[in-house]
Amino acid sequence: DVKVTQSSRYLVKRTGEKVFLECVQDMDHENMFWYRQDPGLGLRLIYFSYDVKMKEKGDIPEGYSVSREKKERFSLILESASTNQTSMYLCASSLHPAGTNTGELFFGEGSRLTVL
Amino acid sequence: AQTVTQSQPEMSVQEAETVTLSCTYDTSESDYYLFWYKQPPSRQMILVIRQEAYKQQNATENRFSVNFQKAAKSFSLKISDSQLGDAAMYFCAYRSALFGEKLTFGTGTRLTIIP
């Protein structure tokens, strides 16, 4: 089974702190994603990466950056955390769609970040 | 840009009964994929069922089935013989077959199972 592991389930940070959220997948997936989940808003894509050192902005990239130095690891960085970044962050991975593969996402358990 | 709409923020159903969750989407593309994901409380999001737009036959997975109406851009999820373990947030998602590999999600429906 695919395993996507997020380093922290719960984090509490202060406004202005730099925050790192780490995600590792063990199935050699090309694609990795960071989504943000908020009540009533569903999941919104922050950034995704389709290869090492490659990244593309999603729908809400402002205030975030990402790093993918190795295929299995995708990090989300909040350079200066703000209270409006308090949220659940979900990491996901997928194979490049081809043949019968429909590009479904495999998710981690999520990281709940609170910024005070 | 594609959008996915789930108009039912909350639903409830008696155990052993059948419930249908609604999803509509907006796209100008003809080839795409649709998904239903389940997120149990404090647990990982998992795939429930998927549908390829080019297939006319509705997908089924055990007690879960979809009603895919391509012309109406509707993709509802039917859960038969509801069980307590079905209680979760359910998200509908869309992926273009041609452009990009990201999924666009709806806002979710919280399903409660009444014993």
Side-chain angles (χ1 to χ4, degrees):
Chain A
D1 283 349
V2 175
K3 191 167 178 66
V4 180
T5 304
Q6 295 184 228
S7 56
S8 304
R9 291 292 304 274
Y10 301 94
L11 302 94
V12 179
K13 299 291 182 181
R14 296 206 175 273
T15 302
E17 280 192 78
K18 190 169 186 175
V19 182
F20 292 87
L21 299 180
E22 305 286 340
C23 176
V24 177
Q25 52 95 2
D26 67 356
M27 284 302 292
D28 204 33
H29 283 177
E30 296 94 348
N31 306 317
M32 296 189 75
F33 305 80
W34 276 106
Y35 283 87
R36 171 176 170 160
Q37 181 180 1
D38 299 288
L41 297 178
L43 277 71
R44 293 177 293 165
L45 182 64
I46 304 172
Y47 268 97
F48 68 101
S49 169
Y50 52 89
D51 202 350
V52 175
K53 297 191 185 295
M54 305 302 288
K55 61 184 179 183
E56 285 200 22
K57 293 180 180 179
D59 301 315
I60 51 164
E62 296 79 17
Y64 304 94
S65 62
V66 291
S67 172
R68 194 167 181 199
E69 296 297 319
K70 293 185 178 181
K71 189 175 185 179
E72 67 270 20
R73 187 179 298 271
F74 192 36
S75 303
L76 180 69
I77 304 155
L78 288 67
E79 292 289 342
S80 178
S82 63
T83 55
N84 62 13
Q85 293 178 310
T86 291
S87 187
M88 171 71 84
Y89 291 88
L90 298 178
C91 177
S93 70
S94 72
L95 281 170
H96 181 74
T100 57
N101 171 32
T102 56
E104 69 183 82
L105 299 187
F106 295 85
F107 284 88
E109 292 188 326
S111 297
R112 184 167 294 282
L113 171 66
T114 301
V115 182
L116 302 176
Chain B
Q2 292 80 21
T3 57
V4 178
T5 301
Q6 293 179 250
S7 59
Q8 307 153 316
E10 296 184 351
M11 293 278 287
S12 61
V13 63
Q14 293 281 147
E15 195 175 1
E17 296 295 309
T18 295
V19 64
T20 299
L21 308 185
S22 301
C23 174
T24 59
Y25 55 95
D26 186 25
T27 184
S28 58
E29 299 171 350
S30 60
D31 198 11
Y32 49 86
Y33 300 91
L34 298 165
F35 306 87
W36 278 100
Y37 278 86
K38 170 185 177 181
Q39 186 182 42
S42 301
R43 291 180 62 188
Q44 208 161 3
M45 182 117 52
I46 57 173
L47 179 69
V48 174
I49 199 165
R50 80 194 86 188
Q51 175 81 40
E52 292 92 331
Y54 64 85
K55 290 186 177 178
Q56 293 188 342
Q57 187 171 5
N58 289 326
T60 61
E61 288 286 345
N62 300 314
R63 297 183 294 107
F64 297 87
S65 61
V66 298
N67 184 5
F68 173 49
Q69 302 288 329
K70 191 172 185 179
K73 297 179 183 175
S74 171
F75 182 60
S76 60
L77 175 69
K78 186 171 82 171
I79 305 173
S80 304
D81 185 25
S82 298
Q83 300 176 1
L84 294 178
D86 295 332
M89 283 289 291
Y90 286 83
F91 291 95
C92 179
Y94 170 101
R95 188 182 78 74
S96 167
L98 294 176
F99 303 110
E101 298 174 25
K102 67 177 186 178
L103 269 65
T104 299
F105 286 83
T107 53
T109 297
R110 182 175 300 280
L111 179 64
T112 300
I113 310 297
I114 303 166

